């Protein structure tokens, strides 16, 4: 399967949100990556349902929603109603992860689990077969434009092996600091989905940058 590129709307120009969404619609990108931050789980607040619904109104590609919020179960149906196709919760924010995953799937979405840089991938061994996507944070979550953490490559390789061994269909998503210098190594190590915020929206020609991120 060719890899997926998901530009992160967090780095878009919110004063020109429709323009930036249409730019992604017209590009080679596959998904929209949407970061929801509550100011509690992470030291930043991004945006909530009104903005997400505005994105949904114009977006012509699946919405990959990454929840950096405590107790995400409270909002699973609300994110479905706001247009999420993939809903990712943080393992560090879920006391009953299995229940949260089942809840997301029964609401009709793909279920993802995100891991902070310090969190071992082996915590997923008993649930990997139930997950559609694992989001490996390659920066500490909360902000765009941070430096990629090199240890991520080890996590990708080990997670890929676990997915194969357990006969899971989970995709490996990399979130944070993905750029034109590291994306190829990430793909060859086993990544399936590349999130890119600053690399896309901070570039002179975002559509061309997306095209480059799609190349192998
Ligand atoms: C970080 C977010 C990321 C962020 C990535 O907490 O989860 O999705 O937007 O931005 P870049 O690609 O600029 O590191
Ligand atoms: Zn994210």
């Amino acid at each position: 399967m060719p890899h997926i590129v998901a530009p992160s709307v967090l780095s878009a120009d919110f004063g020109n949100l429709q323009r930036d969404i249409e730019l992604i619609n017209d590009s080679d990108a596959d998904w929209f990556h949407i970061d929801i931050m509550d100011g509690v789980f992470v030291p930043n607040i991004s945006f909530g349902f009104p903005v997400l619904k505005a994105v949904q109104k114009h977006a012509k590609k699946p919405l990959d929603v990454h929840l950096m919020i405590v107790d995400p179960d409270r909002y699973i149906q609300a994110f479905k109603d706001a247009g999420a196709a993939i809903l990712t919760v943080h393992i560090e924010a879920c006391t009953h992860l299995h229940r949260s995953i089942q809840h997301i799937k029964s609401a009709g979405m793909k279920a993802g689990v995100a891991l902070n840089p310090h969190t071992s991938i082996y915590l997923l061994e008993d649930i990997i077969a139930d997950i559609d996507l694992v989001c490996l944070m390659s920066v500490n979550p909360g902000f765009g434009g941070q430096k990629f953490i090199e240890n991520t490559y080890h996590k990708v390789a080990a997670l890929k092996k676990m997915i194969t061994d357990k006969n899971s269909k989970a995709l490996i998503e990399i979130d944070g600091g993905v750029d034109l210098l590291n994306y190829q190594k990430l793909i060859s190590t086993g990544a399936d989905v590349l999130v890119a915020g600053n690399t896309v929206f901070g570039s002179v020609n975002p559509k061309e940058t997306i095209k480059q991120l799609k190349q192998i």
Side-chain angles (χ1 to χ4, degrees), residues 43 50 128 132 162 207:
I128 193 72
D132 297 301
M162 184 198 298
K207 274 199 236 178

Side-chain angles (χ1 to χ4, degrees), residues 36-46 66-70 90 116 137 140-143:
I36 307 289
M37 305 177 181
D38 67 355
V40 179
F41 182 71
V42 287
N44 196 10
I45 297 175
S46 55
H66 174 196
L67 300 185
M68 284 159 275
I69 67 174
V70 295
H90 265 264
N116 279 337
M137 291 308 304
N140 286 296
F143 304 91

Side-chain angles (χ1 to χ4, degrees), residues 31 61-65 79-80 83-87 104 108-111:
W31 297 348
K61 296 177 180 183
L63 305 185
D64 168 37
V65 178
F79 280 106
K80 169 68 181 173
I86 304 130
L87 193 64
I104 293 169
M109 295 173 283
K110 299 276 188 198

Side-chain angles (χ1 to χ4, degrees), residues 11-74:
S11 293
D13 176 355
F14 288 96
N16 291 287
L17 191 54
Q18 183 176 352
R19 181 201 66 190
D20 280 2
I21 291 166
E22 281 166 2
L23 183 153
I24 302 302
N25 284 339
D26 292 341
S27 75
D28 291 342
D30 303 279
W31 297 348
F32 287 85
H33 184 82
I34 315 277
D35 290 306
I36 307 289
M37 305 177 181
D38 67 355
V40 179
F41 182 71
V42 287
N44 196 10
I45 297 175
S46 55
F47 49 81
F49 294 110
V51 174
L52 180 54
K53 283 180 181 160
V55 173
Q56 182 198 21
K57 195 168 146 200
H58 300 290
K60 298 201 174 88
K61 296 177 180 183
L63 305 185
D64 168 37
V65 178
H66 174 196
L67 300 185
M68 284 159 275
I69 67 174
V70 295
D71 200 4
D73 290 69
R74 294 171 294 165

